[in-house]
Amino acid sequence: MERELIVGADGSEESLSAVDWAVDEAVRRGTPLRIVYASAWERYEGHKPSFAVRRGAASTYTDHIPAQAVARAHTRAPALKVTSDVLAEDPATALARESAGAGAVVVGCRGRGELAGLLLGSVSLSVAAHAAAPVIVVRGGRQNRDGGFQRVAVGIDEADEAAAVVAFALRSAELRGGELHAVHAWRCPAHQAPEPPRAADATDFHQMRAEMRLDEALRAIGPQHAAVSVRRDAVEGLARAALLEASTTADLLVVGARRRRGHIGMQLGPVNHAVLHHSACPVAVVPHD
């Protein structure tokens, strides 16, 4: 049985969109959904002395946010088991800690109080970098968020590090009854020169090596996953450009993030940052060793 999904909610439109996405994903997986509202302000509110009969505005607001999210979830999927928690601490810290027992954590691309011009909120970025479970940042167009393409794209870097990433992407594609689009980008240094030599054999060598990496990474996909069609793309160029292009016709883009030995959290490189900020569809960041 799959572990519960957790979704962060703070009352913002982006977090409510994340709740909708998480509800649909929980239904696909057949797993419970837990809505978490975390705010460091509640810690101070809890220590504030009050002798009035009526509750403070902050306490009322605190109750309203998870209740609103739970009601929204039940309206979208009445049979889904939904619970909620209110945690008096920093939301990024809380969600990263709670991720240890979750199948995945879902967050919006921005939260309440984020500057309007930001492409990705600080909480979303911090959770993606520190969570123990896969983190899905819900962003992109409505068709992408609503599963209109029935396609999951996955970025493949090194074949020997791709097992967890491919497994998550494959499961996501199976749940959607759709296609798995595996993308690996390669670059030939000679082609970066002002007048690059275009020797066919050099290009063919790099292309063949890239295709071999894709085949190695996808080797675990056997007959038991025959329902999922797999499309392989070995693309010459920048990885971030290839993945952003793939995201335009995908319901989910899956990328990996390496755990840093001796450090807390994961290493989010420039490609991770690029897709988290600019992807046309929701992005799943899957930790791997």
Side-chain angles (χ1 to χ4, degrees):
M1 183 176 179
E2 297 200 36
R3 291 181 290 177
E4 69 175 0
L5 288 185
I6 291 177
V7 59
D10 64 3
S12 65
E13 285 299 319
E14 286 79 5
S15 79
L16 293 178
S17 179
V19 169
D20 291 344
W21 195 94
V23 167
D24 294 344
E25 186 70 6
V27 170
R28 291 188 195 99
R29 294 179 178 223
T31 188
L33 177 66
R34 180 154 62 100
I35 296 170
V36 173
Y37 169 60
S39 172
W41 288 107
E42 313 311 325
R43 179 184 305 166
Y44 303 109
E45 179 70 13
H47 290 288
K48 180 180 178 181
S50 175
F51 304 99
V53 175
R54 298 180 60 186
R55 301 180 65 198
S59 297
T60 302
Y61 183 71
T62 298
D63 291 342
H64 171 72
I65 289 177
Q68 178 194 31
V70 169
R72 188 181 181 103
H74 280 150
T75 299
R76 194 172 183 91
L80 179 64
K81 181 181 177 181
V82 182
T83 58
S84 64
D85 281 330
V86 176
L87 304 177
E89 57 186 305
D90 170 73
T93 302
L95 289 170
R97 185 192 66 246
E98 295 298 310
S99 72
V105 177
V106 182
V107 293
C109 59
R110 288 193 305 274
R112 184 176 295 277
E114 300 284 358
L115 295 176
L118 292 179
L119 296 172
L120 182 70
S122 58
V123 171
S124 305
L125 186 60
S126 181
V127 175
H130 295 95
V135 174
I136 298 101
V137 178
V138 178
R139 59 170 303 110
R142 178 173 295 278
Q143 186 176 6
N144 303 84
R145 299 195 311 270
D146 291 347
F149 293 98
Q150 293 188 309
R151 180 179 297 117
V152 173
V154 57
I156 304 296
D157 188 8
E158 297 297 328
D160 58 350
E161 298 173 350
V165 182
V166 170
F168 186 90
L170 178 61
R171 178 60 176 155
S172 299
E174 283 181 325
L175 291 170
R176 288 160 175 79
E179 178 185 70
L180 180 65
H181 181 194
V183 180
H184 174 68
W186 61 272
R187 299 174 70 185
C188 179
H191 291 180
Q192 310 305 314
E195 296 182 1
R198 292 291 178 176
D201 55 347
T203 300
D204 289 346
F205 169 76
H206 288 281
Q207 181 71 26
M208 290 173 60
R209 186 171 65 174
E211 290 172 356
M212 289 176 59
R213 284 188 176 179
L214 274 176
D215 289 341
E216 290 173 11
L218 300 173
R219 189 174 296 164
I221 301 178
Q224 68 273 29
H225 302 296
V228 178
S229 62
V230 180
R231 171 184 166 191
R232 295 166 166 83
D233 266 343
V235 183
E236 181 179 8
L238 297 173
R240 60 177 178 269
L243 293 176
L244 290 176
E245 175 63 25
S247 76
T248 61
T249 55
D251 303 329
L252 182 67
L253 172 61
V254 183
V255 294
R258 183 178 301 171
R259 293 185 180 93
R260 297 179 295 176
R261 298 186 182 278
H263 296 80
I264 297 175
M266 295 174 290
Q267 180 65 53
L268 294 183
V271 174
N272 297 98
H273 279 272
V275 298
L276 284 169
H277 282 85
H278 301 287
S279 173
C281 70
V283 178
V285 180
V286 179
H288 64 77
D289 294 323

